[in-house]
Amino acid sequence: MENKYNLKSPAVKRLMKEAAELRDPTEHYHAQPLEDNLFEWHFSVRGPPDSDFDGGVYHGRIVLPPEYPMKPPSIILLTPNGRFEVGKKICLSISGHHPETWQPSWSIRTALIAIIGFMPTKGEGAIGSLDYTPEERRALAKKSQDFCCEACGCSMRSALLALTPNSHPSAEDHKAKELAQQINFKAESSLSRQASESGGAESKPSTLTQGDTSTSASQEDADWPQAEQPEASPAAEGSPPHTTPGTGRPLSPRQRRTQQHSHQAQRDSREAANRPAFAAPPRQPQDESHAGSAVLIVVLTLALAALIFRRIYLAQEYKFDYEL
């Protein structure tokens, strides 16, 4: 395998170092890369004691990206367990579903201990999670001993060392366990940070938009004549001009115009409600202009007709005098 990969690659160096550290199985976990693929590992973990998974040994795959350890691996369980879906990438803060919470200091050992720690927790609808009943999980824990992986040939009955009362975790296990606890804390803090950032992102564009509209509205107000500004409404007499009633905050020019238009509409509606229903509608100036034009046309027509008749009469009179 050393001749197959570039030994100068940071990912290859890191994976070969971790493969040497995890060569020997322990009582709780074991992981090694496939013979023909350094970036795909198979692992076996023992179910946590005093839980629904007590007595079970579970097998799975770890697929590592070429950018490892800068990017997180993908974790897939192959043994039915009632907590994680089989053959599907599980969603944990150490998996590829959450690259924002991954840290290069974490390793495959950290991921294995974190999987053991995550197993008794609730799925809560996460990707690749299951919420089987305790009875179903205990039954699957017993059946897990009969599982044998076809890809690596590992049998769960001999994958891990037997538990003994004198077995104590090593210094590496203590360090990995502390990192696994840090993973839980990091996951919760990252979720809260994402929620706060999303809330801030929702409010930030509105602030920017308001600032942009205020700037454009102030430029528009500079071009308006003073005579076109509506009068202040009586409802705002108790508060300073151009401020929000009750808060005292200054209003933007666009908000002032909107407020003034609303007050003008309220005044118009009150005047319309107080106006008598039988009052005749006001006569439009356009109707008067149309009537005057019609009268003028009639007068001009009559004058033109009188002029024509006079010309005809004079022509006839001249002809009569000429004949005489």
mmCIF file of all heavy atoms in Angstrom, residues 281-297:
data_model
loop_
_atom_site.group_PDB
_atom_site.id
_atom_site.type_symbol
_atom_site.label_atom_id
_atom_site.label_comp_id
_atom_site.label_asym_id
_atom_site.label_seq_id
_atom_site.Cartn_x
_atom_site.Cartn_y
_atom_site.Cartn_z
ATOM 1 N N PRO A 281 -73.380 66.291 -5.892
ATOM 2 C CA PRO A 281 -71.933 66.256 -6.127
ATOM 3 C C PRO A 281 -71.461 67.570 -6.716
ATOM 4 O O PRO A 281 -72.194 68.242 -7.458
ATOM 5 C CB PRO A 281 -71.769 65.102 -7.121
ATOM 6 C CG PRO A 281 -73.097 64.966 -7.788
ATOM 7 C CD PRO A 281 -74.105 65.346 -6.754
ATOM 8 N N PRO A 282 -70.282 67.989 -6.368
ATOM 9 C CA PRO A 282 -69.782 69.268 -6.888
ATOM 10 C C PRO A 282 -69.646 69.230 -8.393
ATOM 11 O O PRO A 282 -69.263 68.217 -8.969
ATOM 12 C CB PRO A 282 -68.420 69.422 -6.194
ATOM 13 C CG PRO A 282 -68.022 68.040 -5.814
ATOM 14 C CD PRO A 282 -69.289 67.303 -5.516
ATOM 15 N N ARG A 283 -70.003 70.372 -9.031
ATOM 16 C CA ARG A 283 -69.938 70.457 -10.486
ATOM 17 C C ARG A 283 -68.479 70.594 -10.911
ATOM 18 O O ARG A 283 -67.730 71.392 -10.367
ATOM 19 C CB ARG A 283 -70.746 71.667 -10.959
ATOM 20 C CG ARG A 283 -70.841 71.790 -12.490
ATOM 21 C CD ARG A 283 -71.795 72.906 -12.878
ATOM 22 N NE ARG A 283 -73.122 72.616 -12.390
ATOM 23 C CZ ARG A 283 -74.154 73.479 -12.490
ATOM 24 N NH1 ARG A 283 -73.954 74.692 -13.026
ATOM 25 N NH2 ARG A 283 -75.338 73.154 -12.026
ATOM 26 N N GLN A 284 -68.151 69.844 -11.863
ATOM 27 C CA GLN A 284 -66.777 69.839 -12.327
ATOM 28 C C GLN A 284 -66.526 71.014 -13.258
ATOM 29 O O GLN A 284 -67.381 71.364 -14.086
ATOM 30 C CB GLN A 284 -66.470 68.531 -13.064
ATOM 31 C CG GLN A 284 -66.632 67.303 -12.203
ATOM 32 C CD GLN A 284 -65.608 67.271 -11.090
ATOM 33 O OE1 GLN A 284 -64.537 67.859 -11.244
ATOM 34 N NE2 GLN A 284 -65.951 66.620 -10.001
ATOM 35 N N PRO A 285 -65.406 71.650 -13.151
ATOM 36 C CA PRO A 285 -65.089 72.756 -14.062
ATOM 37 C C PRO A 285 -65.061 72.339 -15.517
ATOM 38 O O PRO A 285 -65.308 73.137 -16.398
ATOM 39 C CB PRO A 285 -63.717 73.236 -13.585
ATOM 40 C CG PRO A 285 -63.601 72.738 -12.181
ATOM 41 C CD PRO A 285 -64.379 71.475 -12.131
ATOM 42 N N GLN A 286 -64.777 71.086 -15.785
ATOM 43 C CA GLN A 286 -64.706 70.627 -17.164
ATOM 44 C C GLN A 286 -66.074 70.699 -17.834
ATOM 45 O O GLN A 286 -66.186 71.018 -19.012
ATOM 46 C CB GLN A 286 -64.156 69.196 -17.222
ATOM 47 C CG GLN A 286 -62.693 69.108 -16.774
ATOM 48 C CD GLN A 286 -62.172 67.707 -16.871
ATOM 49 O OE1 GLN A 286 -62.925 66.781 -17.183
ATOM 50 N NE2 GLN A 286 -60.887 67.554 -16.595
ATOM 51 N N ASP A 287 -67.193 70.395 -17.046
ATOM 52 C CA ASP A 287 -68.527 70.472 -17.625
ATOM 53 C C ASP A 287 -68.859 71.910 -18.031
ATOM 54 O O ASP A 287 -69.464 72.158 -19.089
ATOM 55 C CB ASP A 287 -69.552 69.958 -16.624
ATOM 56 C CG ASP A 287 -69.336 68.484 -16.318
ATOM 57 O OD1 ASP A 287 -68.681 67.812 -17.159
ATOM 58 O OD2 ASP A 287 -69.795 68.004 -15.255
ATOM 59 N N GLU A 288 -68.487 72.907 -17.190
ATOM 60 C CA GLU A 288 -68.751 74.298 -17.520
ATOM 61 C C GLU A 288 -67.992 74.714 -18.777
ATOM 62 O O GLU A 288 -68.510 75.441 -19.627
ATOM 63 C CB GLU A 288 -68.360 75.184 -16.343
ATOM 64 C CG GLU A 288 -69.196 74.912 -15.077
ATOM 65 C CD GLU A 288 -68.740 75.762 -13.913
ATOM 66 O OE1 GLU A 288 -67.746 76.502 -14.100
ATOM 67 O OE2 GLU A 288 -69.369 75.690 -12.844
ATOM 68 N N SER A 289 -66.742 74.270 -18.881
ATOM 69 C CA SER A 289 -65.974 74.634 -20.072
ATOM 70 C C SER A 289 -66.583 74.031 -21.331
ATOM 71 O O SER A 289 -66.624 74.666 -22.386
ATOM 72 C CB SER A 289 -64.525 74.189 -19.906
ATOM 73 O OG SER A 289 -64.465 72.782 -19.771
ATOM 74 N N HIS A 290 -67.070 72.776 -21.231
ATOM 75 C CA HIS A 290 -67.712 72.140 -22.377
ATOM 76 C C HIS A 290 -68.991 72.884 -22.771
ATOM 77 O O HIS A 290 -69.267 73.095 -23.969
ATOM 78 C CB HIS A 290 -68.026 70.681 -22.071
ATOM 79 C CG HIS A 290 -66.787 69.818 -21.990
ATOM 80 N ND1 HIS A 290 -65.750 69.932 -22.889
ATOM 81 C CD2 HIS A 290 -66.438 68.831 -21.123
ATOM 82 C CE1 HIS A 290 -64.791 69.071 -22.586
ATOM 83 N NE2 HIS A 290 -65.195 68.376 -21.500
ATOM 84 N N ALA A 291 -69.801 73.335 -21.781
ATOM 85 C CA ALA A 291 -71.044 74.061 -22.094
ATOM 86 C C ALA A 291 -70.732 75.399 -22.751
ATOM 87 O O ALA A 291 -71.376 75.815 -23.739
ATOM 88 C CB ALA A 291 -71.841 74.272 -20.810
ATOM 89 N N GLY A 292 -69.724 76.122 -22.241
ATOM 90 C CA GLY A 292 -69.349 77.393 -22.860
ATOM 91 C C GLY A 292 -68.882 77.224 -24.289
ATOM 92 O O GLY A 292 -69.191 78.045 -25.176
ATOM 93 N N SER A 293 -68.141 76.184 -24.558
ATOM 94 C CA SER A 293 -67.674 75.936 -25.926
ATOM 95 C C SER A 293 -68.831 75.656 -26.862
ATOM 96 O O SER A 293 -68.846 76.119 -28.018
ATOM 97 C CB SER A 293 -66.697 74.756 -25.922
ATOM 98 O OG SER A 293 -65.587 75.029 -25.096
ATOM 99 N N ALA A 294 -69.833 74.883 -26.373
ATOM 100 C CA ALA A 294 -70.985 74.593 -27.217
ATOM 101 C C ALA A 294 -71.775 75.857 -27.558
ATOM 102 O O ALA A 294 -72.203 76.064 -28.703
ATOM 103 C CB ALA A 294 -71.881 73.574 -26.517
ATOM 104 N N VAL A 295 -71.967 76.759 -26.566
ATOM 105 C CA VAL A 295 -72.688 78.014 -26.816
ATOM 106 C C VAL A 295 -71.933 78.878 -27.811
ATOM 107 O O VAL A 295 -72.520 79.493 -28.736
ATOM 108 C CB VAL A 295 -72.906 78.757 -25.482
ATOM 109 C CG1 VAL A 295 -73.476 80.156 -25.738
ATOM 110 C CG2 VAL A 295 -73.837 77.957 -24.582
ATOM 111 N N LEU A 296 -70.617 78.941 -27.649
ATOM 112 C CA LEU A 296 -69.817 79.743 -28.568
ATOM 113 C C LEU A 296 -69.908 79.219 -29.992
ATOM 114 O O LEU A 296 -69.996 79.991 -30.967
ATOM 115 C CB LEU A 296 -68.364 79.745 -28.092
ATOM 116 C CG LEU A 296 -67.371 80.568 -28.929
ATOM 117 C CD1 LEU A 296 -67.799 82.041 -28.971
ATOM 118 C CD2 LEU A 296 -65.965 80.433 -28.375
ATOM 119 N N ILE A 297 -69.925 77.928 -30.166
ATOM 120 C CA ILE A 297 -70.046 77.334 -31.501
ATOM 121 C C ILE A 297 -71.382 77.682 -32.132
ATOM 122 O O ILE A 297 -71.483 78.009 -33.326
ATOM 123 C CB ILE A 297 -69.830 75.816 -31.419
ATOM 124 C CG1 ILE A 297 -68.367 75.507 -31.058
ATOM 125 C CG2 ILE A 297 -70.191 75.136 -32.729
ATOM 126 C CD1 ILE A 297 -68.105 74.057 -30.782
#
